[in-house]
Every structure is written in C-alpha cells, then in structure tokens.
Amino acid sequence: MRRILLSLILCTQHASMSFASGPAVFYTASFGDNRSVDLSLAEGGPARDPAFDFEVVITLTEFDGGGAELYRDGGRHRASVRCFSPAVVRVNSVNYMVDVSTRPGTDWKHDLWAALCTAPVS
C-alpha cells in the first residue's frame, strides 16, 4: 500500500512539474561569489529495484547572483531513493545513507529523500 501511495505522489509531482516553467528544485547550493547551483527533479517514477521506492533523474543548473542562467548540465544524473529505514540514496551503484534528522538545505541527498519521501498526502 505504501508503495502505491508513494507512486501516486511522484506521479502527481511529475504531472505538476510538466506544467511548471521547469523541473522541481529540491536543493540549492550557494557560493561566495553570489553564484548558485540548483539540483532539480527532471523525471521520476517507481523503482524497478524492490529495495528502493523511486528512480529519478536529476538536473543541475548554475545561476549568477542576479538569477541569470550561466550553465545547464546536459547530463542525466540517475538516482534511486529508499524511503523506509534505513533511508538511502543510490547514485552510480553507491549507496549513501540519509540522516533523516538533518536540517533541510544541509545535504542534497537528504533534501532529495525529503522531497520524495515526506511529501504531504491529502
């Protein structure tokens, strides 16, 4: 049942992303020279691997201090996310444990996990 609900949440997010002006930003890294890099969910769906809940594609975009786009990475960075304990984000066959108590904005892996696994359900 949980897997079905999570799939519905992601499908709803994906549908809303397609109507928005761009992918859904889940993490922003800021740098001292007023540049920032956004990590965004470009695609997603239920994981094929039963050890995970979601498979997503992440995009990276760099902005200057005024919000003008400086660079958009054309790569398709794939990740898998496990919502249940132990929380994990897998990138390139490497599992990264997620500290679910981390404050938002501290770690991109936590924020990716939170964007997918803690979305409110009405």
Side-chain angles (χ1 to χ4, degrees):
M1 180 66 166
R2 177 183 170 106
R3 194 168 172 87
I4 293 169
L5 286 174
L6 291 171
S7 297
L8 289 172
I9 291 167
L10 188 61
C11 290
T12 301
Q13 273 187 318
H14 181 69
S16 66
M17 285 188 317
S18 65
F19 293 110
S21 61
V25 175
F26 66 87
Y27 180 80
T28 300
S30 298
F31 301 94
D33 59 354
N34 293 324
R35 288 179 309 120
S36 64
V37 174
D38 285 351
L39 302 182
S40 305
L41 288 173
E43 296 176 19
R48 285 179 238 128
D49 182 339
F52 291 88
D53 295 295
F54 298 107
E55 291 179 1
V56 297
V57 174
I58 300 168
T59 61
L60 294 86
T61 309
E62 180 182 6
F63 297 94
D64 68 12
E69 185 177 301
L70 296 174
Y71 173 75
R72 181 178 301 267
D73 181 8
R76 300 177 53 78
H77 307 280
R78 298 188 179 279
S80 298
V81 178
R82 177 188 307 150
C83 294
F84 53 89
S85 184
V88 173
V89 170
R90 176 184 283 172
V91 179
N92 294 330
S93 301
V94 177
N95 288 343
Y96 298 94
M97 302 305 284
V98 175
D99 180 354
V100 298
S101 66
T102 300
R103 288 185 17 234
T106 305
D107 177 61
W108 72 267
K109 295 173 290 298
H110 171 273
D111 289 4
L112 173 60
W113 174 86
L116 295 169
C117 300
T118 65
V121 179
S122 58

